[in-house]
Amino acid sequence: MTSRYIAIDWGSTNLRAWLYQGGACLESRKSEAGVTRLNGRTPEAVLAEITEGWRDESTPVLMAGMVGSNAGWKIAPYLPCPARFSEFGAQLTTAAEHVFIIPGLCVQREDNRNVMRGEETQLLGARALQPAPLYIMPGTHCKWVQADNEQVHDFRTVMTGELHHLLLKQSLIGVGLPEQQLNADAFQAGLAQGLETDAPLARLFEVRAGHVLGSLAREHVSEFLSGLLIGNEAASMTRLWQPNRQQPLTIVASPALAGRYQQALNALGFQAQTLEGDAAFQAGIRSIAHAVAE
């Protein structure tokens, strides 16, 4: 593999592409042509459009995300955990000439069945940029990943982001609410409740009752609910993993979302460093590109 390559993060609803030369990013592009939004076009056609003017006969393309799922271009088999980081670049699936898909990860045990696609590439980058014994990757489906410098041991998925959206948009909690506003105090109040409860389901209706009775401002319901869910997620997952409080954990997310999880972890007595998802993804792709070149 040459020093020139293209990195693609191809998810369900969006696609992002970066052109690299000699370790430097020359250009980046975005598209809404995720694998569920191809609108009759083939993946080959979408790739040609997003990389127009970038490729020559030998420029390799490294792709990660839902493009490797059964709804994507071609199935890239999952690597079972524990999975060595060195395997990520050694188990690529060829989608077309010089076009490769990075495998996802899976766990299949009686006590845990899990899959991920895309986050494994961010993990590879996070391991290089901000190594930690436990990685937290918030989003629609938050991943909590136990790893060391050599391999990913185990991971769990918590549907916090999706649950927040569903409760606010499609349940009684959100009926008739005005436009929601950011509010640090409301988030902190929800966080305090989430951190201390072992039964979050029994507290959810209180979110509606709170704004009906006037103790919670109607425009701050989203913030309180976010705090409640994130607080309970952080408390339950740190109980499960029991990470060393002397070692910082790494949160891979946008600054705003990472800050919420950082507050929750700090309240539980853990240190947490943050890393932007794009930076982690690009570092992970870069390491795979270098590994394939060797």
Side-chain angles (χ1 to χ4, degrees):
M1 185 174 285
T2 65
S3 64
R4 183 182 178 91
Y5 64 92
I6 295 166
I8 303 279
D9 184 3
W10 203 334
S12 297
T13 57
N14 293 284
L15 184 160
R16 290 176 297 168
W18 296 268
L19 173 64
Y20 276 88
Q21 177 77 50
C25 181
L26 302 183
E27 189 179 351
S28 64
R29 295 172 182 168
K30 295 180 181 180
S31 167
E32 293 185 354
V35 296
T36 63
R37 295 180 177 178
L38 298 181
N39 296 324
R41 292 177 293 171
T42 64
E44 292 94 331
V46 172
L47 178 65
E49 180 182 331
I50 197 74
T51 62
E52 185 178 359
W54 285 4
R55 297 178 67 189
D56 56 30
E57 291 183 358
S58 61
T59 302
V61 180
L62 288 167
M63 306 188 296
M66 292 300 288
V67 67
S69 72
N70 57 6
W73 185 337
K74 187 174 182 179
I75 295 176
Y78 293 107
L79 294 177
C81 289
R84 299 183 70 81
F85 285 109
S86 59
E87 291 182 73
F88 294 12
Q91 301 287 338
L92 301 177
T93 294
T94 302
E97 189 172 7
H98 300 303
V99 180
F100 307 98
I101 303 175
I102 298 164
L105 300 180
C106 70
V107 176
Q108 191 165 359
R109 302 193 312 267
E110 283 299 316
D111 68 333
N112 184 17
R113 292 181 176 88
N114 256 290
V115 294
M116 71 164 67
R117 286 200 185 274
E119 294 95 347
E120 77 292 321
T121 306
Q122 291 184 326
L123 274 173
L124 194 56
R127 161 194 174 240
L129 298 173
Q130 292 190 3
L134 188 64
Y135 297 89
I136 300 99
M137 312 178 83
T140 305
H141 301 147
C142 183
K143 305 292 184 183
W144 290 70
V145 187
Q146 187 183 53
D148 59 28
N149 193 49
E150 299 298 325
Q151 63 184 353
V152 177
H153 294 285
D154 201 0
F155 66 92
R156 300 266 177 172
T157 305
V158 188
M159 296 174 65
T160 302
E162 183 173 0
L163 185 58
H164 179 270
H165 175 79
L166 291 172
L167 289 171
L168 201 61
K169 301 298 183 183
Q170 298 185 39
S171 83
L172 190 63
I173 288 174
V175 170
L177 292 178
E179 183 176 349
Q180 295 296 287
Q181 300 174 3
L182 296 175
N183 185 273
D185 291 340
F187 176 78
Q188 283 291 340
L191 184 64
Q193 189 175 102
L195 289 169
E196 61 86 19
T197 182
D198 290 327
L201 289 178
R203 307 302 299 266
L204 287 177
F205 190 78
E206 292 183 45
V207 181
R208 173 168 170 79
H211 73 75
V212 168
L213 297 173
S215 61
L216 173 61
R218 289 163 54 79
E219 63 271 19
H220 297 159
V221 170
S222 176
E223 288 289 275
F224 184 90
L225 181 61
S226 174
L228 173 65
L229 295 175
I230 289 174
N232 184 257
E233 176 189 351
S236 61
M237 295 305 287
T238 51
R239 279 199 303 272
L240 173 68
W241 294 115
Q242 295 289 310
N244 186 341
R245 293 178 187 272
Q246 305 307 311
Q247 291 183 271
L249 312 181
T250 294
I251 305 169
V252 182
S254 66
L257 190 53
R260 291 175 180 250
Y261 278 79
Q262 198 167 31
Q263 288 180 61
L265 289 165
N266 288 346
L268 291 164
F270 294 96
Q271 303 174 61
Q273 52 196 354
T274 64
L275 178 62
E276 287 210 55
D278 277 358
F281 181 86
Q282 292 174 63
I285 285 275
R286 187 162 53 246
S287 69
I288 291 175
H290 292 165
V292 173
E294 293 174 354

